[in-house]
Amino acid sequence: MSSIKEVLFGEQEKQAEKWVRERLTDQNLTVESEEWQSLLNDYSAYQDYLNDEYEWISEIKWLKENGSVDIYQNFVTELTNIKKLAENSLSEPIPLNENLIIKMCYSYSVTLLEAFLGDSIKALISENKVYLNNAIERLEQIRNTKYSLFDLSESGMGLSGLAIKCVSEVLFHKIDKTMEMYEKVLGCKINIDTSKVKLIIDIRHDIVHRNGYTKENEVIDILPHDLYQAITDIKHLVNKLQKIIANQKLKD
């Protein structure tokens, strides 16, 4: 009896063969022929394209269903859970591995920050035409991107979808550049001190890429209170940014 995996694989092969045969110039050509193999490569590339488009459409749907306010609330909840997890784990008489717990929670706190920054700016673009226009006119990532009318019609995502696709390629750990992006999209000045969070992001980089060592091969000693302070600093920055977003949305 065939497994589900084998059945699905067989169906995929049938679909690929059907797609190829519909495009062959000669129906007598076999799998070994150069034209068949070329069309098979085209089919594979087309499937990759469809998968990418499905991911973007799913993300746009998610952003519309989860606006910037919900994204903020989810961030606060997750960050609070990280702190509770650390507190509970480190309060054990003999923690399994204090250093490992601290490094994991420290790193994930920054991951939550980056996800919030990326999701929030994409949500703003998707839910407000003013912010969409600002993004198209002012963000280099979008302004310098060239899409044809064919791209727009084929993707079915519209301007906001393509704008979000461009913004998704940004790395949101560069906090100052991220704040500049928010200024351009919101159309207002953002005066937030990012120095503490920049240091936290640098430490997280050393944790993730060098297991807690600096470029000079010096160990970074992170104590529980350092972790809790980092979480507080991250939350403080996000709270200030969210307040600016809320105030600006009232004006617009």
Side-chain angles (χ1 to χ4, degrees):
M1 183 177 179
S2 299
S3 66
I4 293 176
K5 184 177 180 180
E6 289 172 338
V7 171
L8 290 174
F9 185 74
E11 286 299 316
Q12 288 175 347
E13 284 190 325
K14 289 179 182 178
Q15 290 175 10
E17 181 179 348
K18 181 175 181 292
W19 191 92
V20 169
R21 285 197 177 280
E22 289 173 350
R23 290 159 176 78
L24 283 173
T25 57
D26 182 354
Q27 292 298 315
N28 293 320
L29 292 174
T30 63
V31 176
E32 292 77 18
S33 68
E34 184 177 340
E35 184 178 344
W36 188 297
Q37 289 300 315
S38 177
L39 285 169
L40 198 60
N41 289 333
D42 291 344
Y43 176 79
S44 178
Y46 179 61
Q47 292 304 307
D48 289 341
Y49 166 79
L50 290 179
N51 288 334
D52 288 342
E53 293 306 307
Y54 176 78
E55 289 181 7
W56 290 122
I57 292 170
S58 298
E59 180 173 4
I60 292 167
K61 181 182 178 183
W62 182 87
L63 289 168
K64 289 180 177 178
E65 293 174 351
N66 299 270
S68 55
V69 174
D70 289 335
I71 291 169
Y72 168 71
Q73 293 296 343
N74 291 336
F75 164 81
V76 172
T77 299
E78 290 293 310
L79 193 66
T80 300
N81 289 339
I82 284 292
K83 186 176 182 181
K84 287 179 180 178
L85 174 65
E87 289 173 338
N88 292 337
S89 300
L90 297 174
S91 64
E92 294 290 332
I94 305 177
L96 293 176
N97 188 322
E98 179 176 300
N99 184 254
L100 179 61
I101 292 168
I102 290 174
K103 287 193 293 186
M104 289 176 63
C105 291
Y106 199 103
S107 298
Y108 193 64
S109 297
V110 177
T111 298
L112 290 176
L113 169 65
E114 292 178 3
F116 166 80
L117 293 171
D119 290 342
S120 290
I121 199 165
K122 287 184 283 186
L124 291 170
I125 291 171
S126 71
E127 65 189 13
N128 189 302
K129 288 185 178 180
V130 172
Y131 302 146
L132 171 61
N133 290 333
N134 287 346
I136 293 172
E137 292 174 5
R138 301 170 183 173
L139 293 183
E140 293 181 5
Q141 295 86 350
I142 301 174
R143 192 178 60 202
N144 296 336
T145 301
K146 290 180 172 55
Y147 284 106
S148 66
L149 292 176
F150 175 78
D151 293 325
L152 287 170
S153 63
E154 280 295 297
S155 67
M157 292 187 294
L159 282 175
S160 63
L162 292 172
I164 289 168
K165 189 171 185 178
C166 294
V167 172
S168 295
E169 297 173 1
V170 175
L171 299 176
F172 289 96
H173 64 263
K174 296 182 178 180
I175 197 70
D176 286 340
K177 289 188 177 295
T178 299
M179 291 298 110
E180 289 178 10
M181 289 179 64
Y182 270 92
E183 287 184 340
K184 291 175 180 178
V185 170
L186 291 171
C188 67
K189 191 68 178 174
I190 295 178
N191 293 310
I192 298 177
D193 182 4
T194 61
S195 58
K196 291 181 179 179
V197 171
K198 278 196 288 188
L199 179 59
I200 292 168
I201 292 173
D202 288 342
I203 292 173
R204 183 260 202 156
H205 185 84
D206 289 333
I207 291 172
V208 172
H209 297 284
R210 285 182 286 275
N211 194 28
Y213 285 83
T214 65
K215 291 180 180 179
E216 293 73 29
N217 204 33
E218 295 177 357
V219 65
I220 299 173
D221 191 19
I222 308 173
L223 300 176
H225 73 265
D226 297 320
L227 168 63
Y228 302 142
Q229 186 60 54
I231 291 174
T232 298
D233 292 338
I234 289 172
K235 187 176 180 181
H236 182 67
L237 181 142
V238 169
N239 286 345
K240 281 195 167 186
L241 178 59
Q242 187 63 25
K243 186 175 181 180
I244 292 171
I245 292 172
N247 289 338
Q248 196 62 26
K249 288 173 76 172
L250 288 174
K251 297 177 183 178
D252 296 328

